Amino acid sequence: MTQKPADTQLQSDIELSVVKKFRKTIWNKFIKGVREYDLIKPNDKIAVCISGGKDSMLMAMCMKRLQRYSKIPFEVIFLVMDPGYNEINRHKIIENAQLLNIPIQIFETGIFNAVAKVDRHPCYLCARMRRGYLYKNAMDLGCNKIALGHHFDDVIETILMGMLYGGQFQTMMPKLHSTNFEGMELIRPMYLIREAEIKHWRDYNDLHFIQCACKFTDTCTTCDPDSRSVSKRLEIKNLIAELRKTNPQVEKNIFSSAGNVNLNTVIAYKDTEGVHNFLDGYYE
């Protein structure tokens, strides 16, 4: 079967839209996140992990452009893990990669089949397995970092989910060291970019990406994610939307709270040395 030649003008227009029309809301926020959190060092080799959704595809485009023009030398590999996608979703990922001129490398796993046999917390297990496979394959390719496409809204939703459903205060970090793969780091270059702007970029360029491709929902590019069972993350999204009606700064305030913690006003906190309670030194 003869492969349809890529539309180079369309590829150029889509990429340029990131640095022209969406320069303030996407490109500048991307660059700010990379610099502010010191995500890229000279001679890094980064596996840019692509799930096939809007977030990771936009991250891949931004990383490709940054690598091309950056004064800091670094390498990128665009890594796609197939955990058991159906043919429609797999084809859509390949099609979009070609449309956006992203030279992807695909490797296979049987994660979906494995977690389908698990009754308790299959999504949690799936996420851990996917992360492990990405780290391992990135290491095998000589990479020292993996890049994931989590954005600003993922960060604030994680904070609230931890508080309301987990009884703890924690955030999704812009970068972290792997505990199981020595020498590997995880970075999140989309950390400061709002999801609404990613959707705006997608729709402006008339792009169509997969939504959730797991076998529990088996959705594809034509599916409406809001028609699925209401998840805890969707509940949090709706809660934030309600709070925004009376407080337009609510998202920024939630985000800022994770970097503005006063340890003198918390009952207890944990670090690598253990749990510290405010009573520990209260009477000294």
Side-chain angles (χ1 to χ4, degrees):
M1 181 177 179
T2 304
Q3 191 175 40
K4 183 180 177 181
D7 186 333
T8 54
Q9 184 59 54
L10 180 58
Q11 289 175 347
S12 177
D13 290 344
I14 294 172
E15 181 175 336
L16 286 176
S17 72
V18 175
V19 294
K20 289 187 175 181
K21 181 173 178 60
F22 297 97
R23 186 176 192 85
K24 182 178 179 181
T25 56
I26 292 179
W27 182 250
N28 287 353
K29 293 290 182 67
F30 172 79
I31 295 299
K32 182 180 179 181
V34 170
R35 290 175 176 169
E36 187 166 319
Y37 301 114
D38 198 20
L39 300 185
I40 299 175
K41 296 285 192 180
N43 304 315
D44 275 344
K45 188 172 183 179
I46 304 169
V48 179
C49 302
I50 299 174
S51 67
K54 66 185 189 312
D55 309 326
S56 62
M57 282 293 191
L58 176 56
M59 174 182 66
M61 287 200 68
C62 290
M63 290 291 286
K64 181 170 68 111
R65 186 172 183 86
L66 179 63
Q67 193 265 343
R68 187 189 310 148
Y69 294 109
S70 176
K71 295 180 180 179
I72 298 175
F74 69 96
E75 294 183 57
V76 288
I77 291 176
F78 301 99
L79 197 59
V80 176
M81 179 186 64
D82 184 345
Y85 293 134
N86 62 41
E87 284 301 316
I88 295 175
N89 283 315
R90 183 183 171 103
H91 177 74
K92 191 63 181 177
I93 293 172
I94 295 172
E95 181 182 78
N96 280 328
Q98 180 182 3
L99 173 63
L100 301 177
N101 195 25
I102 305 295
I104 59 174
Q105 297 185 34
I106 303 178
F107 69 93
E108 320 283 339
T109 72
I111 292 178
F112 284 171
N113 287 334
V115 299
K117 303 171 185 177
V118 177
D119 294 327
R120 291 178 58 83
H121 310 300
C123 295
Y124 173 77
L125 177 61
C126 180
R128 286 186 62 87
M129 291 179 68
R130 288 163 75 111
R131 186 76 56 85
Y133 273 109
L134 287 171
Y135 270 127
K136 183 181 184 306
N137 279 268
M139 282 188 71
D140 290 345
L141 290 169
C143 298
N144 65 310
K145 293 179 179 178
I146 65 172
L148 301 184
H150 297 116
H151 48 66
F152 181 98
D153 295 75
D154 290 323
V155 177
I156 63 173
E157 289 161 14
T158 297
I159 293 171
L160 284 188
M161 286 180 68
M163 294 172 63
L164 301 181
Y165 296 113
Q168 59 186 343
F169 182 86
Q170 62 180 17
T171 190
M172 180 180 284
M173 299 296 287
K175 66 177 181 180
L176 51 89
H177 293 288
S178 171
T179 55
N180 298 317
F181 296 86
E182 187 176 356
M184 292 293 293
E185 278 187 85
L186 180 156
I187 62 173
R188 294 184 167 105
M190 307 282 281
Y191 202 76
L192 300 178
I193 300 175
R194 297 302 308 267
E195 183 178 27
E197 296 302 331
I198 300 174
K199 290 179 177 178
H200 190 187
W201 168 81
R202 175 198 65 191
D203 298 341
Y204 175 81
N205 290 291
D206 194 25
L207 298 170
H208 303 276
F209 303 108
I210 69 172
Q211 299 285 356
C212 173
C214 81
K215 290 191 174 181
F216 293 100
T217 54
D218 202 29
T219 57
C220 64
T221 55
T222 59
C223 300
D224 178 5
D226 293 335
S227 67
R228 303 196 298 270
S229 300
V230 177
S231 66
K232 286 184 173 59
R233 188 166 289 274
L234 185 54
E235 289 177 12
I236 294 296
K237 282 182 181 289
N238 292 336
L239 172 61
I240 293 173
E242 283 297 313
L243 293 172
R244 192 191 308 119
K245 293 177 181 178
T246 55
N247 180 7
Q249 299 298 314
V250 67
E251 290 104 334
K252 291 182 180 179
N253 290 341
I254 296 171
F255 185 89
S256 297
S257 70
N260 193 26
V261 179
N262 185 344
L263 293 182
N264 291 322
T265 63
V266 298
I267 295 173
Y269 67 93
K270 294 186 293 184
D271 60 20
T272 55
E273 296 179 359
V275 178
H276 305 272
N277 191 284
F278 85 105
L279 287 174
D280 293 343
Y282 186 79
Y283 297 104
E284 296 178 0

